Amino acid sequence: MPRPAVFSAEDFWQFSLSHYARAGVEQACLTLQNTYQGNVNLALLLHWLDTLHIELADQQIHALTASLVASDKQLHQYRTMRQQLKPQLDQAGYQQLLTFELELEKSQQHALIEQLNRSLPSSVPITETGTKTITPTNLTRYFRQLGATSILPHLQNLS
């Protein structure tokens, strides 16, 4: 049965925190970001939608990608600054920088959810299953575009 296509930024954030904590996912995300210049929040969103069995059209994924341009630039600049300052800071100071970066990530996720909600029809079918089977669609297409398919199973971590 279709339900309104209004996704919650908080639900996505909680999914991301939980999934990121799985074995191998953090390293896959860092490789995606640092080696393939992929966006971790977009990858997590696409994976979340795959788990909900919601397939996006290519133009919807492109719209999500386009919505990240400004925040990606801001995050990249901040991340570079944090890495440069690391040797000069004590643990508490560095942790403050990491905490702020996490807030920037959360803000970017919120913007992604807003864009997603704008781009979906008034209702979409959502089928949640009790199995770990996921039809690879959104995330696979994104990873193919980046040439990052070798790390796809690590980010999906279906165990």
Side-chain angles (χ1 to χ4, degrees), residues 11-30:
D11 289 347
F12 174 41
W13 181 249
Q14 292 305 317
F15 169 85
S16 297
L17 291 176
S18 173
H19 190 70
Y20 195 84
R22 289 179 161 198
V25 173
E26 178 181 358
Q27 187 56 51
C29 287
L30 292 173

Side-chain angles (χ1 to χ4, degrees), residues 13-138:
W13 181 249
Q14 292 305 317
F15 169 85
S16 297
L17 291 176
S18 173
H19 190 70
Y20 195 84
R22 289 179 161 198
V25 173
E26 178 181 358
Q27 187 56 51
C29 287
L30 292 173
T31 300
L32 174 69
Q33 175 182 287
N34 298 330
T35 303
Y36 297 98
Q37 287 67 55
N39 183 283
V40 170
N41 286 319
L42 178 58
L44 289 169
L45 177 63
L46 295 175
H47 181 59
W48 185 48
L49 293 173
D50 285 345
T51 67
L52 296 172
H53 302 280
I54 297 170
E55 185 174 358
L56 299 180
D58 288 339
Q59 67 267 26
Q60 291 168 310
I61 295 174
H62 293 306
L64 288 168
T65 303
S67 75
L68 295 171
V69 172
S71 60
D72 251 359
K73 183 178 179 181
Q74 181 185 30
L75 268 164
H76 179 73
Q77 289 171 339
Y78 186 82
R79 198 173 288 123
T80 300
M81 179 198 69
R82 174 185 51 79
Q83 290 165 348
Q84 289 171 346
L85 290 174
K86 185 177 183 177
Q88 303 166 30
L89 297 171
D90 62 10
Q91 184 60 33
Y94 188 69
Q95 188 58 49
Q96 283 182 317
L97 293 180
L98 284 173
T99 299
F100 183 74
E101 186 174 338
L102 199 59
E103 287 302 314
L104 292 175
E105 296 280 0
K106 190 172 185 178
S107 176
Q108 185 178 69
Q109 283 197 355
H110 185 70
L112 276 170
I113 291 296
E114 286 180 355
Q115 177 61 41
L116 176 66
N117 285 331
R118 280 193 300 271
S119 73
L120 289 175
S122 60
S123 65
V124 293
I126 296 176
T127 309
E128 295 189 54
T129 64
T131 68
K132 298 283 184 181
T133 305
I134 296 174
T135 304
T137 56
N138 302 308

